[in-house]
Amino acid sequence: MGARALFVLIFMAAQAVAQQPALHTVNVTFSATGKYTVGEGGDTADLDGNGQFTYLGPVNFHGTVQVTSPGKCTVYFQMQAIHQNPDGTTTSGPEYVSGIGRGQTCDTDNPTDGFPSAAVAIWGGQLAAGGGETTEVHGGYLTFTLVGRDFGWGISGQGEINLVPANAQTAGPGGSGYPPVVAGPGGSGYPIVINGANSGSVLVFNTDNAASGASGELPHATSGASSIQIPLPVQSAASTYSVSANCADSTANCWIEVPTASGSIAANSSATISANVSPAGLSPGVYSAMVAITITPGTGQTASNTINVPLTAIVAAGADLLGLSQTGFQFQTFAGAPAQSESISISNLAAGSLPFSTSVSTPSGETWLSVSPTTDTATSAAPAIANVQANPAGLTPGTYFGRVDVSAPGAVNAAQSIDVALTVLPVSNNTTPVLSPAAMSVVGDGTGKPVVQNIQLSTLSDQQLPFAAAAITNDGANWLAVSPSNGNVTAAQPLLGSITLQPSILKPGVYNGTVVLQNTNDNSTYSVSVQLVVPRPAPCTPAQLLPVITNLGPSSEIIAAQPVPFQARIVDDCGSPMTSGSVVASFSSGDPAVSMLPIGNGQWAGTWLPHSIAGGGVLVTLSASSSAPPLSGSTTATGIISANPTAPVVNQAAVVSAAAPTTHRPLAPGAFISIFGSNLATAPTPAASLPLSTLLSDTQVLLGGQPLLLNFVSPGQINAVVPYGARANSIEQLVVIHKGVYSPVEPLVVAPTQPAVFTQDQSGTGAGVITVVKPDGTQFLNTASTPATSGDTLVIYCDGLGLVNPAVPDGSAAPASPPARTINPVTVTIGGQTASAAFSGLVPGFAGLYQVNVTVPGGISPAADVPLMITAGSVSSPAVTLAVR
């Protein structure tokens, strides 16, 4: 069977669906209204000083219920109401509750820091189980009782609640199917960690000591052995775990080792697995590995669960690493308003200086987006600050998309982008005011002087917004105040207020409070959470970290498929800022965990990319750890993601080889890939002819800023060819642009080669697409009924063999004479025997399709499933099978 006769079979293989991890949890979201009663508890710090009073309602609830196994669930909710005080004034503030329980009742005793303990019950509903996993939750009522920790008031009440199944989740923090990998002990010499939907966790090893200095000086790239930690999910029951690591697709020695292969996890706790990583013996290139973790609950609990943690190592000389504090911004304004701007920190995550340049682009060439400076130099110690500006002048109402590109040719991740969305609203009285920051962490300076922090309440409405402001402390003391106490806000004149903290009246410790601004027109409220640390006298030995998420609050607008800048301030309980270590944000929505970067004075930043276009409730968990001294701390926040049903989104771990749709594997120059997602194109559209185009049915795909050649597009799938000019041994960003709208950016790794053999059932495993050519010229597809024999020639159709000579223009048909041969050496292993390839190169007349010709060696035991692998460079393909008689 000739290459052209195989076209239909190979095209079918290109449609292979990306394999997704098994589901392990189910989330439901809810919203409800109800009522509650607040009563004095007999302590000195009551709410009103005059006994019991009732709500001014209705009370609004929203949040999530996460079901982890049959009969077990975790509730996260917040409620908000206006309280009428005896003196006629009103106060308002959100209460956040979270906890773990069983059956139809979720008994809660572990609330968010700074708020009361609680008991929560969901009753009248149904928890339905199927196949060993809870699959859906139907709701009746939510009842709750809150009891103050340091003062004696209580809240009890009931809300009618409807639980709606949300997006299914997979095991591991953030729902990403695997836990985030964090840096190892020592505070320096860490590998860089990028937790992307497609790239998994990427570690960069620097082999050039002369260029980069000693490994101990490198904050993220290392030249020697280092360690990483893999935190496991919290287990509700006592469990054991076993762990193994392998580098099955590499011909080199495995670069990761797990010294302790098993352990135990106490009930309602977690554990951390340590692994050693080293580039010793590895030449520059890309190497994949997998850490398999099997968690087995105790007797009578659910079945074992295996989490596969994909890892990729990039070994490079002089490995500069471009670090961006944010990779996306959302601007919201109205026509005729002044320009808005945000700043971004650009640094070299390795030692030395890194020159870079910046530029902007918009799909239709609009000029609303700008960046400055256009050139500069960054180091790890002295980051450069770039200013990104969005100007709505001349724009009609709508949402506009653009991109700021940062180019640093000397870096492993040389081309990085900052996605920008600008929403221009018509002036109206329907817009939601914005209060910033959403939270703050303040440290008393030891002098006893008051500390003043600024806040801003702004609106895009053409109507005046009257407000009243109040400050509430969890301990009842008067250390927190807000000014002014009332006023009016307009679009042209936002409120510039101040919060004053009085640490001098407090003993050393950590205190929490809330500043609430109420719209007195409709009684809606907006709050700022305040954490005050009053340090102990020197010498002070810290015991914990105190992270605060500063820009995500109950009223924050989170839009699916648009970037959410994510910021935190982290200090310890002695008041010292955390400037190095690991900070990871994970999301119950299933979005990839975000590894945040330090930007100075305990400030950390990253960008969250909500993938679920259906929206829904989300719990954000921020975990921080430092090594010198060894400290840890965490915090949570809840939010609601607004649906964005028409946005283009690439599914998690869904950029794969068209030949072998195995997730979390690098791409190669010239590879034929499939991209799966939603709203990627208007309608199914195949390429009409060769050479392939970079634009098909209003859809374009960029990888590291380079357009991909498109073979086929549809709403759910794109088939494309990676340009031969794609930079190997690099981290690149992939983005789909459909009708001018950008998808969330997906980080990918590009390797020199990543071989994969097409298979007959399009799964990437099983019988390969292999033509048998007999000595007399007879050809047929290899199957169990038409096997090969010793001395036959095999034509193996494959992908990912990398660069060719002579070079072929991107997307063009490969020539027949002279044929385009692979530059990287290629061998084939059949039944454990190695055979040199007589030919490896592109199939004439096709784009993105390789073939390898090899003779079947003698001595192979006859079987219908003899394993066959192709090795290109130092990377081997997943095994397929060959029938041999």
Side-chain angles (χ1 to χ4, degrees), residues 21-122:
L23 301 182
H24 295 285
T25 70
V26 175
N27 267 5
V28 295
T29 61
F30 66 82
S31 61
T33 59
K35 55 186 177 182
Y36 64 80
T37 299
V38 180
E40 180 180 355
D43 208 317
T44 56
D46 56 61
L47 287 181
D48 59 35
N50 191 29
Q52 182 169 304
F53 62 93
T54 58
Y55 77 102
L56 292 178
V59 183
N60 296 312
F61 304 87
H62 60 83
T64 63
V65 179
Q66 186 176 64
V67 182
T68 55
S69 62
K72 298 179 183 179
C73 59
T74 301
V75 175
Y76 310 98
F77 80 88
Q78 77 176 55
M79 59 186 182
Q80 197 159 24
I82 309 300
H83 303 292
Q84 179 73 51
N85 298 324
D87 61 1
T89 62
T90 59
T91 57
S92 174
E95 289 91 18
Y96 304 85
V97 180
S98 64
I100 299 172
R102 295 172 179 270
Q104 295 177 345
T105 299
C106 292
D107 295 319
T108 304
D109 58 8
N110 183 23
T112 302
D113 236 357
F115 291 92
S117 61
V120 178
I122 296 176

Side-chain angles (χ1 to χ4, degrees), residues 230-306:
I230 305 172
L232 300 181
V234 173
Q235 303 299 306
S236 59
S239 307
T240 59
Y241 68 84
S242 60
V243 56
S244 62
N246 73 81
C247 305
D249 63 349
S250 174
T251 59
N253 293 331
C254 196
W255 48 273
I256 181 168
E257 176 192 15
V258 180
T260 304
S262 62
S264 60
I265 309 172
N268 299 314
S269 66
S270 181
T272 298
I273 293 172
S274 294
N276 298 326
V277 292
S278 173
L282 299 181
S283 57
V286 175
Y287 303 87
S288 297
M290 185 73 73
V291 176
I293 306 162
T294 299
I295 300 176
T296 304
T299 305
Q301 304 297 321
T302 55
S304 298
N305 172 39
T306 297

